Amino acid sequence: DAKTTQPNSMESNEEEPVHLPCNHSTISGTDYIHWYRQLPSQGPEYVIHGLTSNVNNRMASLAIAEDRKSSTLILHRATLRDAAVYYCIRTSYGKLTFGQGTILTVHP
Amino acid sequence: GAVVSQHPSWVICKSGTSVKIECRSLDFQATTMFWYRQFPKQSLMLMATSNEGSKATYEQGVEKDKFLINHASLTLSTLTVTSAHPEDSSFYICSARPYSNQPQHFGDGTRLSIL
């Protein structure tokens, strides 16, 4: 049980922002929210993680709702290399339970 | 950034063979390493958690005698698939992290095909 809900797929155009939503309505106070992405035939790649506050790094931004029941991964300008499966995972004690993720397609 | 190296990238072998997969953290010490398996069109499934110097903790349904895990140092964990059969064919992926609640860093996976 991945305990998060994501859309099966999303599409975007190159150079446009992408907002990938995730619901985690049963999240506990100690659970972190992690995002990973996976390209075909590769291991997952860490994107970003957070607990309560919004987070930014060179790859993306993570916006966490005030009640922590949902979050949004923001890719500010999508490129073709951002096409991947994006996994939103809530984790305590570091164990990751992968759901089906969101398949992001980026159109040139 | 943190780098995890996994070897080999792919292996094809006959049924009944034992196969060893190595996972190394190249630029950090990993107190914990994880082993996952991924079948085609499916998501990753955690097989076991490996802590340096202690026995691995296996997820429910994973046979510990079939999937032997050794984590003898802070930079190396190995997974041995013993007496592999065609149903063991899968994409095996390891990850490592330096501390609890820090991100996991993944290897590029090993594609195992048993004939």
PDB file of all heavy atoms in Angstrom, chain B residues 54-92:
ATOM      1  N   SER B  54      25.016  -6.141  10.165  1.00  0.00           N
ATOM      2  CA  SER B  54      23.949  -6.926  10.773  1.00  0.00           C
ATOM      3  C   SER B  54      23.155  -7.660   9.692  1.00  0.00           C
ATOM      4  O   SER B  54      23.333  -7.409   8.503  1.00  0.00           O
ATOM      5  CB  SER B  54      23.017  -6.037  11.605  1.00  0.00           C
ATOM      6  OG  SER B  54      22.392  -5.085  10.788  1.00  0.00           O
ATOM      7  N   LYS B  55      22.287  -8.552  10.135  1.00  0.00           N
ATOM      8  CA  LYS B  55      21.488  -9.317   9.173  1.00  0.00           C
ATOM      9  C   LYS B  55      20.466  -8.427   8.484  1.00  0.00           C
ATOM     10  O   LYS B  55      19.934  -7.488   9.079  1.00  0.00           O
ATOM     11  CB  LYS B  55      20.767 -10.454   9.889  1.00  0.00           C
ATOM     12  CG  LYS B  55      21.685 -11.577  10.362  1.00  0.00           C
ATOM     13  CD  LYS B  55      20.877 -12.719  10.963  1.00  0.00           C
ATOM     14  CE  LYS B  55      21.791 -13.850  11.406  1.00  0.00           C
ATOM     15  NZ  LYS B  55      21.018 -14.982  11.998  1.00  0.00           N
ATOM     16  N   ALA B  56      20.176  -8.775   7.248  1.00  0.00           N
ATOM     17  CA  ALA B  56      19.190  -8.008   6.492  1.00  0.00           C
ATOM     18  C   ALA B  56      17.780  -8.286   6.992  1.00  0.00           C
ATOM     19  O   ALA B  56      17.491  -9.361   7.530  1.00  0.00           O
ATOM     20  CB  ALA B  56      19.290  -8.352   5.009  1.00  0.00           C
ATOM     21  N   THR B  57      16.925  -7.317   6.823  1.00  0.00           N
ATOM     22  CA  THR B  57      15.510  -7.466   7.149  1.00  0.00           C
ATOM     23  C   THR B  57      14.744  -7.636   5.848  1.00  0.00           C
ATOM     24  O   THR B  57      14.762  -6.743   4.998  1.00  0.00           O
ATOM     25  CB  THR B  57      14.984  -6.230   7.891  1.00  0.00           C
ATOM     26  OG1 THR B  57      15.747  -6.043   9.081  1.00  0.00           O
ATOM     27  CG2 THR B  57      13.511  -6.412   8.245  1.00  0.00           C
ATOM     28  N   TYR B  58      14.070  -8.771   5.702  1.00  0.00           N
ATOM     29  CA  TYR B  58      13.374  -9.079   4.459  1.00  0.00           C
ATOM     30  C   TYR B  58      11.894  -8.711   4.543  1.00  0.00           C
ATOM     31  O   TYR B  58      11.270  -8.834   5.602  1.00  0.00           O
ATOM     32  CB  TYR B  58      13.506 -10.577   4.147  1.00  0.00           C
ATOM     33  CG  TYR B  58      14.903 -10.986   3.760  1.00  0.00           C
ATOM     34  CD1 TYR B  58      15.880 -11.228   4.730  1.00  0.00           C
ATOM     35  CD2 TYR B  58      15.259 -11.121   2.427  1.00  0.00           C
ATOM     36  CE1 TYR B  58      17.172 -11.583   4.376  1.00  0.00           C
ATOM     37  CE2 TYR B  58      16.546 -11.491   2.059  1.00  0.00           C
ATOM     38  CZ  TYR B  58      17.492 -11.715   3.040  1.00  0.00           C
ATOM     39  OH  TYR B  58      18.762 -12.063   2.678  1.00  0.00           O
ATOM     40  N   GLU B  59      11.366  -8.261   3.427  1.00  0.00           N
ATOM     41  CA  GLU B  59       9.931  -7.971   3.347  1.00  0.00           C
ATOM     42  C   GLU B  59       9.149  -9.283   3.280  1.00  0.00           C
ATOM     43  O   GLU B  59       9.678 -10.342   2.901  1.00  0.00           O
ATOM     44  CB  GLU B  59       9.629  -7.116   2.132  1.00  0.00           C
ATOM     45  CG  GLU B  59      10.257  -5.730   2.204  1.00  0.00           C
ATOM     46  CD  GLU B  59       9.786  -4.900   3.376  1.00  0.00           C
ATOM     47  OE1 GLU B  59       8.554  -4.678   3.481  1.00  0.00           O
ATOM     48  OE2 GLU B  59      10.627  -4.488   4.195  1.00  0.00           O
ATOM     49  N   GLN B  60       7.898  -9.179   3.648  1.00  0.00           N
ATOM     50  CA  GLN B  60       7.039 -10.358   3.657  1.00  0.00           C
ATOM     51  C   GLN B  60       6.983 -10.975   2.264  1.00  0.00           C
ATOM     52  O   GLN B  60       6.819 -10.266   1.264  1.00  0.00           O
ATOM     53  CB  GLN B  60       5.638  -9.954   4.108  1.00  0.00           C
ATOM     54  CG  GLN B  60       4.733 -11.129   4.421  1.00  0.00           C
ATOM     55  CD  GLN B  60       3.423 -10.679   5.047  1.00  0.00           C
ATOM     56  OE1 GLN B  60       3.135  -9.487   5.122  1.00  0.00           O
ATOM     57  NE2 GLN B  60       2.631 -11.629   5.503  1.00  0.00           N
ATOM     58  N   GLY B  61       7.147 -12.279   2.213  1.00  0.00           N
ATOM     59  CA  GLY B  61       7.061 -12.989   0.942  1.00  0.00           C
ATOM     60  C   GLY B  61       8.380 -13.135   0.215  1.00  0.00           C
ATOM     61  O   GLY B  61       8.436 -13.819  -0.810  1.00  0.00           O
ATOM     62  N   VAL B  62       9.430 -12.528   0.706  1.00  0.00           N
ATOM     63  CA  VAL B  62      10.747 -12.654   0.082  1.00  0.00           C
ATOM     64  C   VAL B  62      11.543 -13.726   0.823  1.00  0.00           C
ATOM     65  O   VAL B  62      11.717 -13.642   2.040  1.00  0.00           O
ATOM     66  CB  VAL B  62      11.507 -11.315   0.116  1.00  0.00           C
ATOM     67  CG1 VAL B  62      12.894 -11.482  -0.491  1.00  0.00           C
ATOM     68  CG2 VAL B  62      10.719 -10.239  -0.612  1.00  0.00           C
ATOM     69  N   GLU B  63      12.016 -14.732   0.087  1.00  0.00           N
ATOM     70  CA  GLU B  63      12.717 -15.853   0.714  1.00  0.00           C
ATOM     71  C   GLU B  63      14.160 -15.467   1.033  1.00  0.00           C
ATOM     72  O   GLU B  63      14.969 -15.243   0.131  1.00  0.00           O
ATOM     73  CB  GLU B  63      12.719 -17.043  -0.231  1.00  0.00           C
ATOM     74  CG  GLU B  63      11.338 -17.544  -0.622  1.00  0.00           C
ATOM     75  CD  GLU B  63      11.454 -18.644  -1.660  1.00  0.00           C
ATOM     76  OE1 GLU B  63      12.130 -19.660  -1.376  1.00  0.00           O
ATOM     77  OE2 GLU B  63      10.886 -18.511  -2.760  1.00  0.00           O
ATOM     78  N   LYS B  64      14.483 -15.443   2.297  1.00  0.00           N
ATOM     79  CA  LYS B  64      15.828 -15.025   2.679  1.00  0.00           C
ATOM     80  C   LYS B  64      16.888 -16.034   2.288  1.00  0.00           C
ATOM     81  O   LYS B  64      18.053 -15.684   2.094  1.00  0.00           O
ATOM     82  CB  LYS B  64      15.886 -14.750   4.186  1.00  0.00           C
ATOM     83  CG  LYS B  64      15.589 -15.957   5.059  1.00  0.00           C
ATOM     84  CD  LYS B  64      15.685 -15.570   6.523  1.00  0.00           C
ATOM     85  CE  LYS B  64      15.406 -16.771   7.422  1.00  0.00           C
ATOM     86  NZ  LYS B  64      15.484 -16.424   8.853  1.00  0.00           N
ATOM     87  N   ASP B  65      16.503 -17.307   2.157  1.00  0.00           N
ATOM     88  CA  ASP B  65      17.485 -18.323   1.761  1.00  0.00           C
ATOM     89  C   ASP B  65      17.737 -18.293   0.261  1.00  0.00           C
ATOM     90  O   ASP B  65      18.718 -18.857  -0.219  1.00  0.00           O
ATOM     91  CB  ASP B  65      17.003 -19.706   2.177  1.00  0.00           C
ATOM     92  CG  ASP B  65      16.960 -19.848   3.688  1.00  0.00           C
ATOM     93  OD1 ASP B  65      17.769 -19.174   4.360  1.00  0.00           O
ATOM     94  OD2 ASP B  65      16.109 -20.599   4.188  1.00  0.00           O
ATOM     95  N   LYS B  66      16.841 -17.688  -0.467  1.00  0.00           N
ATOM     96  CA  LYS B  66      16.987 -17.598  -1.923  1.00  0.00           C
ATOM     97  C   LYS B  66      17.728 -16.321  -2.312  1.00  0.00           C
ATOM     98  O   LYS B  66      18.514 -16.315  -3.236  1.00  0.00           O
ATOM     99  CB  LYS B  66      15.624 -17.582  -2.586  1.00  0.00           C
ATOM    100  CG  LYS B  66      15.688 -17.382  -4.088  1.00  0.00           C
ATOM    101  CD  LYS B  66      14.695 -18.280  -4.786  1.00  0.00           C
ATOM    102  CE  LYS B  66      14.859 -18.148  -6.274  1.00  0.00           C
ATOM    103  NZ  LYS B  66      15.754 -19.167  -6.798  1.00  0.00           N
ATOM    104  N   PHE B  67      17.454 -15.269  -1.596  1.00  0.00           N
ATOM    105  CA  PHE B  67      18.064 -13.973  -1.882  1.00  0.00           C
ATOM    106  C   PHE B  67      18.970 -13.609  -0.710  1.00  0.00           C
ATOM    107  O   PHE B  67      18.536 -13.022   0.280  1.00  0.00           O
ATOM    108  CB  PHE B  67      16.985 -12.910  -2.101  1.00  0.00           C
ATOM    109  CG  PHE B  67      16.078 -13.202  -3.253  1.00  0.00           C
ATOM    110  CD1 PHE B  67      14.817 -13.773  -3.039  1.00  0.00           C
ATOM    111  CD2 PHE B  67      16.465 -12.936  -4.558  1.00  0.00           C
ATOM    112  CE1 PHE B  67      13.983 -14.053  -4.108  1.00  0.00           C
ATOM    113  CE2 PHE B  67      15.629 -13.208  -5.625  1.00  0.00           C
ATOM    114  CZ  PHE B  67      14.383 -13.775  -5.404  1.00  0.00           C
ATOM    115  N   LEU B  68      20.237 -13.966  -0.848  1.00  0.00           N
ATOM    116  CA  LEU B  68      21.201 -13.757   0.229  1.00  0.00           C
ATOM    117  C   LEU B  68      21.791 -12.359   0.132  1.00  0.00           C
ATOM    118  O   LEU B  68      22.294 -11.958  -0.914  1.00  0.00           O
ATOM    119  CB  LEU B  68      22.326 -14.801   0.145  1.00  0.00           C
ATOM    120  CG  LEU B  68      21.885 -16.264   0.218  1.00  0.00           C
ATOM    121  CD1 LEU B  68      23.101 -17.184   0.102  1.00  0.00           C
ATOM    122  CD2 LEU B  68      21.119 -16.547   1.496  1.00  0.00           C
ATOM    123  N   ILE B  69      21.742 -11.643   1.232  1.00  0.00           N
ATOM    124  CA  ILE B  69      22.253 -10.282   1.249  1.00  0.00           C
ATOM    125  C   ILE B  69      23.378 -10.175   2.255  1.00  0.00           C
ATOM    126  O   ILE B  69      23.265 -10.630   3.387  1.00  0.00           O
ATOM    127  CB  ILE B  69      21.126  -9.283   1.589  1.00  0.00           C
ATOM    128  CG1 ILE B  69      20.125  -9.231   0.435  1.00  0.00           C
ATOM    129  CG2 ILE B  69      21.699  -7.896   1.874  1.00  0.00           C
ATOM    130  CD1 ILE B  69      18.880  -8.434   0.740  1.00  0.00           C
ATOM    131  N   ASN B  70      24.468  -9.552   1.806  1.00  0.00           N
ATOM    132  CA  ASN B  70      25.619  -9.317   2.668  1.00  0.00           C
ATOM    133  C   ASN B  70      25.982  -7.842   2.605  1.00  0.00           C
ATOM    134  O   ASN B  70      26.080  -7.264   1.532  1.00  0.00           O
ATOM    135  CB  ASN B  70      26.813 -10.168   2.205  1.00  0.00           C
ATOM    136  CG  ASN B  70      27.997 -10.029   3.127  1.00  0.00           C
ATOM    137  OD1 ASN B  70      28.766  -9.077   3.032  1.00  0.00           O
ATOM    138  ND2 ASN B  70      28.140 -10.963   4.035  1.00  0.00           N
ATOM    139  N   HIS B  71      26.155  -7.225   3.766  1.00  0.00           N
ATOM    140  CA  HIS B  71      26.493  -5.799   3.831  1.00  0.00           C
ATOM    141  C   HIS B  71      27.696  -5.679   4.751  1.00  0.00           C
ATOM    142  O   HIS B  71      27.585  -5.238   5.890  1.00  0.00           O
ATOM    143  CB  HIS B  71      25.284  -5.027   4.354  1.00  0.00           C
ATOM    144  CG  HIS B  71      25.398  -3.536   4.225  1.00  0.00           C
ATOM    145  ND1 HIS B  71      24.308  -2.717   4.338  1.00  0.00           N
ATOM    146  CD2 HIS B  71      26.443  -2.732   4.003  1.00  0.00           C
ATOM    147  CE1 HIS B  71      24.675  -1.456   4.202  1.00  0.00           C
ATOM    148  NE2 HIS B  71      25.975  -1.443   3.990  1.00  0.00           N
ATOM    149  N   ALA B  72      28.844  -6.097   4.224  1.00  0.00           N
ATOM    150  CA  ALA B  72      30.028  -6.263   5.061  1.00  0.00           C
ATOM    151  C   ALA B  72      30.767  -4.964   5.336  1.00  0.00           C
ATOM    152  O   ALA B  72      31.567  -4.895   6.262  1.00  0.00           O
ATOM    153  CB  ALA B  72      30.974  -7.261   4.404  1.00  0.00           C
ATOM    154  N   SER B  73      30.523  -3.946   4.524  1.00  0.00           N
ATOM    155  CA  SER B  73      31.200  -2.674   4.755  1.00  0.00           C
ATOM    156  C   SER B  73      30.230  -1.531   4.516  1.00  0.00           C
ATOM    157  O   SER B  73      29.118  -1.735   4.030  1.00  0.00           O
ATOM    158  CB  SER B  73      32.404  -2.536   3.821  1.00  0.00           C
ATOM    159  OG  SER B  73      31.992  -2.165   2.526  1.00  0.00           O
ATOM    160  N   LEU B  74      30.655  -0.330   4.838  1.00  0.00           N
ATOM    161  CA  LEU B  74      29.787   0.839   4.695  1.00  0.00           C
ATOM    162  C   LEU B  74      29.641   1.303   3.255  1.00  0.00           C
ATOM    163  O   LEU B  74      28.917   2.256   2.978  1.00  0.00           O
ATOM    164  CB  LEU B  74      30.312   1.995   5.556  1.00  0.00           C
ATOM    165  CG  LEU B  74      30.076   1.846   7.057  1.00  0.00           C
ATOM    166  CD1 LEU B  74      30.823   2.938   7.820  1.00  0.00           C
ATOM    167  CD2 LEU B  74      28.592   1.898   7.385  1.00  0.00           C
ATOM    168  N   THR B  75      30.319   0.629   2.335  1.00  0.00           N
ATOM    169  CA  THR B  75      30.222   1.034   0.937  1.00  0.00           C
ATOM    170  C   THR B  75      29.846  -0.114   0.000  1.00  0.00           C
ATOM    171  O   THR B  75      29.757   0.090  -1.208  1.00  0.00           O
ATOM    172  CB  THR B  75      31.550   1.637   0.441  1.00  0.00           C
ATOM    173  OG1 THR B  75      32.586   0.655   0.604  1.00  0.00           O
ATOM    174  CG2 THR B  75      31.904   2.895   1.216  1.00  0.00           C
ATOM    175  N   LEU B  76      29.587  -1.289   0.545  1.00  0.00           N
ATOM    176  CA  LEU B  76      29.305  -2.424  -0.328  1.00  0.00           C
ATOM    177  C   LEU B  76      28.244  -3.337   0.260  1.00  0.00           C
ATOM    178  O   LEU B  76      28.317  -3.767   1.409  1.00  0.00           O
ATOM    179  CB  LEU B  76      30.577  -3.243  -0.557  1.00  0.00           C
ATOM    180  CG  LEU B  76      30.421  -4.562  -1.335  1.00  0.00           C
ATOM    181  CD1 LEU B  76      29.946  -4.287  -2.763  1.00  0.00           C
ATOM    182  CD2 LEU B  76      31.730  -5.341  -1.339  1.00  0.00           C
ATOM    183  N   SER B  77      27.244  -3.628  -0.556  1.00  0.00           N
ATOM    184  CA  SER B  77      26.261  -4.647  -0.240  1.00  0.00           C
ATOM    185  C   SER B  77      26.138  -5.555  -1.454  1.00  0.00           C
ATOM    186  O   SER B  77      26.252  -5.098  -2.599  1.00  0.00           O
ATOM    187  CB  SER B  77      24.897  -4.034   0.083  1.00  0.00           C
ATOM    188  OG  SER B  77      23.926  -5.040   0.305  1.00  0.00           O
ATOM    189  N   THR B  78      25.938  -6.838  -1.211  1.00  0.00           N
ATOM    190  CA  THR B  78      25.749  -7.774  -2.320  1.00  0.00           C
ATOM    191  C   THR B  78      24.456  -8.546  -2.148  1.00  0.00           C
ATOM    192  O   THR B  78      24.022  -8.838  -1.031  1.00  0.00           O
ATOM    193  CB  THR B  78      26.920  -8.773  -2.420  1.00  0.00           C
ATOM    194  OG1 THR B  78      26.993  -9.534  -1.200  1.00  0.00           O
ATOM    195  CG2 THR B  78      28.232  -8.056  -2.653  1.00  0.00           C
ATOM    196  N   LEU B  79      23.844  -8.836  -3.291  1.00  0.00           N
ATOM    197  CA  LEU B  79      22.643  -9.671  -3.344  1.00  0.00           C
ATOM    198  C   LEU B  79      22.986 -10.894  -4.186  1.00  0.00           C
ATOM    199  O   LEU B  79      23.422 -10.747  -5.331  1.00  0.00           O
ATOM    200  CB  LEU B  79      21.484  -8.910  -3.981  1.00  0.00           C
ATOM    201  CG  LEU B  79      20.243  -9.738  -4.373  1.00  0.00           C
ATOM    202  CD1 LEU B  79      19.531 -10.248  -3.127  1.00  0.00           C
ATOM    203  CD2 LEU B  79      19.289  -8.917  -5.235  1.00  0.00           C
ATOM    204  N   THR B  80      22.823 -12.070  -3.618  1.00  0.00           N
ATOM    205  CA  THR B  80      23.050 -13.300  -4.369  1.00  0.00           C
ATOM    206  C   THR B  80      21.723 -14.016  -4.560  1.00  0.00           C
ATOM    207  O   THR B  80      21.055 -14.348  -3.571  1.00  0.00           O
ATOM    208  CB  THR B  80      24.044 -14.227  -3.641  1.00  0.00           C
ATOM    209  OG1 THR B  80      25.286 -13.546  -3.464  1.00  0.00           O
ATOM    210  CG2 THR B  80      24.287 -15.493  -4.459  1.00  0.00           C
ATOM    211  N   VAL B  81      21.374 -14.213  -5.816  1.00  0.00           N
ATOM    212  CA  VAL B  81      20.178 -14.986  -6.145  1.00  0.00           C
ATOM    213  C   VAL B  81      20.636 -16.428  -6.303  1.00  0.00           C
ATOM    214  O   VAL B  81      21.362 -16.759  -7.244  1.00  0.00           O
ATOM    215  CB  VAL B  81      19.522 -14.479  -7.444  1.00  0.00           C
ATOM    216  CG1 VAL B  81      18.226 -15.229  -7.720  1.00  0.00           C
ATOM    217  CG2 VAL B  81      19.260 -12.978  -7.365  1.00  0.00           C
ATOM    218  N   THR B  82      20.255 -17.263  -5.371  1.00  0.00           N
ATOM    219  CA  THR B  82      20.738 -18.649  -5.376  1.00  0.00           C
ATOM    220  C   THR B  82      19.817 -19.531  -6.197  1.00  0.00           C
ATOM    221  O   THR B  82      18.589 -19.363  -6.196  1.00  0.00           O
ATOM    222  CB  THR B  82      20.818 -19.204  -3.950  1.00  0.00           C
ATOM    223  OG1 THR B  82      19.506 -19.194  -3.378  1.00  0.00           O
ATOM    224  CG2 THR B  82      21.746 -18.352  -3.088  1.00  0.00           C
ATOM    225  N   SER B  83      20.445 -20.457  -6.934  1.00  0.00           N
ATOM    226  CA  SER B  83      19.706 -21.399  -7.751  1.00  0.00           C
ATOM    227  C   SER B  83      18.579 -20.692  -8.519  1.00  0.00           C
ATOM    228  O   SER B  83      17.396 -21.002  -8.344  1.00  0.00           O
ATOM    229  CB  SER B  83      19.142 -22.521  -6.874  1.00  0.00           C
ATOM    230  OG  SER B  83      18.557 -23.537  -7.663  1.00  0.00           O
ATOM    231  N   ALA B  84      18.984 -19.746  -9.334  1.00  0.00           N
ATOM    232  CA  ALA B  84      17.992 -18.901 -10.013  1.00  0.00           C
ATOM    233  C   ALA B  84      17.176 -19.709 -11.022  1.00  0.00           C
ATOM    234  O   ALA B  84      17.684 -20.612 -11.688  1.00  0.00           O
ATOM    235  CB  ALA B  84      18.698 -17.754 -10.707  1.00  0.00           C
ATOM    236  N   HIS B  85      15.912 -19.333 -11.133  1.00  0.00           N
ATOM    237  CA  HIS B  85      15.003 -19.957 -12.085  1.00  0.00           C
ATOM    238  C   HIS B  85      14.368 -18.871 -12.955  1.00  0.00           C
ATOM    239  O   HIS B  85      14.433 -17.683 -12.612  1.00  0.00           O
ATOM    240  CB  HIS B  85      13.941 -20.780 -11.350  1.00  0.00           C
ATOM    241  CG  HIS B  85      14.504 -21.979 -10.667  1.00  0.00           C
ATOM    242  ND1 HIS B  85      14.917 -23.106 -11.357  1.00  0.00           N
ATOM    243  CD2 HIS B  85      14.764 -22.210  -9.356  1.00  0.00           C
ATOM    244  CE1 HIS B  85      15.388 -23.988 -10.493  1.00  0.00           C
ATOM    245  NE2 HIS B  85      15.310 -23.476  -9.283  1.00  0.00           N
ATOM    246  N   PRO B  86      13.754 -19.236 -14.058  1.00  0.00           N
ATOM    247  CA  PRO B  86      13.196 -18.211 -14.963  1.00  0.00           C
ATOM    248  C   PRO B  86      12.278 -17.201 -14.277  1.00  0.00           C
ATOM    249  O   PRO B  86      12.275 -16.029 -14.643  1.00  0.00           O
ATOM    250  CB  PRO B  86      12.443 -19.051 -15.998  1.00  0.00           C
ATOM    251  CG  PRO B  86      13.231 -20.314 -16.076  1.00  0.00           C
ATOM    252  CD  PRO B  86      13.679 -20.581 -14.656  1.00  0.00           C
ATOM    253  N   GLU B  87      11.560 -17.641 -13.273  1.00  0.00           N
ATOM    254  CA  GLU B  87      10.653 -16.700 -12.588  1.00  0.00           C
ATOM    255  C   GLU B  87      11.393 -15.642 -11.768  1.00  0.00           C
ATOM    256  O   GLU B  87      10.791 -14.664 -11.318  1.00  0.00           O
ATOM    257  CB  GLU B  87       9.665 -17.448 -11.684  1.00  0.00           C
ATOM    258  CG  GLU B  87      10.301 -18.315 -10.620  1.00  0.00           C
ATOM    259  CD  GLU B  87      10.473 -19.752 -11.073  1.00  0.00           C
ATOM    260  OE1 GLU B  87      10.614 -20.004 -12.290  1.00  0.00           O
ATOM    261  OE2 GLU B  87      10.451 -20.635 -10.188  1.00  0.00           O
ATOM    262  N   ASP B  88      12.707 -15.845 -11.584  1.00  0.00           N
ATOM    263  CA  ASP B  88      13.523 -14.842 -10.896  1.00  0.00           C
ATOM    264  C   ASP B  88      14.012 -13.761 -11.839  1.00  0.00           C
ATOM    265  O   ASP B  88      14.631 -12.777 -11.397  1.00  0.00           O
ATOM    266  CB  ASP B  88      14.734 -15.502 -10.227  1.00  0.00           C
ATOM    267  CG  ASP B  88      14.336 -16.513  -9.164  1.00  0.00           C
ATOM    268  OD1 ASP B  88      13.360 -16.246  -8.427  1.00  0.00           O
ATOM    269  OD2 ASP B  88      14.994 -17.583  -9.080  1.00  0.00           O
ATOM    270  N   SER B  89      13.760 -13.930 -13.130  1.00  0.00           N
ATOM    271  CA  SER B  89      14.163 -12.920 -14.104  1.00  0.00           C
ATOM    272  C   SER B  89      13.440 -11.615 -13.784  1.00  0.00           C
ATOM    273  O   SER B  89      12.215 -11.577 -13.647  1.00  0.00           O
ATOM    274  CB  SER B  89      13.791 -13.376 -15.519  1.00  0.00           C
ATOM    275  OG  SER B  89      14.476 -14.561 -15.857  1.00  0.00           O
ATOM    276  N   SER B  90      14.207 -10.558 -13.653  1.00  0.00           N
ATOM    277  CA  SER B  90      13.631  -9.273 -13.258  1.00  0.00           C
ATOM    278  C   SER B  90      14.702  -8.205 -13.336  1.00  0.00           C
ATOM    279  O   SER B  90      15.850  -8.466 -13.693  1.00  0.00           O
ATOM    280  CB  SER B  90      13.083  -9.373 -11.822  1.00  0.00           C
ATOM    281  OG  SER B  90      12.344  -8.216 -11.476  1.00  0.00           O
ATOM    282  N   PHE B  91      14.330  -7.002 -12.981  1.00  0.00           N
ATOM    283  CA  PHE B  91      15.240  -5.862 -12.890  1.00  0.00           C
ATOM    284  C   PHE B  91      15.476  -5.635 -11.399  1.00  0.00           C
ATOM    285  O   PHE B  91      14.549  -5.324 -10.663  1.00  0.00           O
ATOM    286  CB  PHE B  91      14.578  -4.646 -13.544  1.00  0.00           C
ATOM    287  CG  PHE B  91      15.481  -3.465 -13.772  1.00  0.00           C
ATOM    288  CD1 PHE B  91      16.739  -3.634 -14.335  1.00  0.00           C
ATOM    289  CD2 PHE B  91      15.064  -2.184 -13.456  1.00  0.00           C
ATOM    290  CE1 PHE B  91      17.572  -2.538 -14.566  1.00  0.00           C
ATOM    291  CE2 PHE B  91      15.882  -1.088 -13.682  1.00  0.00           C
ATOM    292  CZ  PHE B  91      17.143  -1.257 -14.234  1.00  0.00           C
ATOM    293  N   TYR B  92      16.716  -5.835 -10.967  1.00  0.00           N
ATOM    294  CA  TYR B  92      17.056  -5.699  -9.551  1.00  0.00           C
ATOM    295  C   TYR B  92      17.782  -4.374  -9.357  1.00  0.00           C
ATOM    296  O   TYR B  92      18.737  -4.058 -10.071  1.00  0.00           O
ATOM    297  CB  TYR B  92      17.933  -6.862  -9.088  1.00  0.00           C
ATOM    298  CG  TYR B  92      17.186  -8.174  -9.050  1.00  0.00           C
ATOM    299  CD1 TYR B  92      17.061  -8.955 -10.193  1.00  0.00           C
ATOM    300  CD2 TYR B  92      16.568  -8.619  -7.874  1.00  0.00           C
ATOM    301  CE1 TYR B  92      16.353 -10.156 -10.167  1.00  0.00           C
ATOM    302  CE2 TYR B  92      15.863  -9.811  -7.842  1.00  0.00           C
ATOM    303  CZ  TYR B  92      15.758 -10.569  -8.998  1.00  0.00           C
ATOM    304  OH  TYR B  92      15.054 -11.746  -8.964  1.00  0.00           O
TER     305      TYR B  92
END
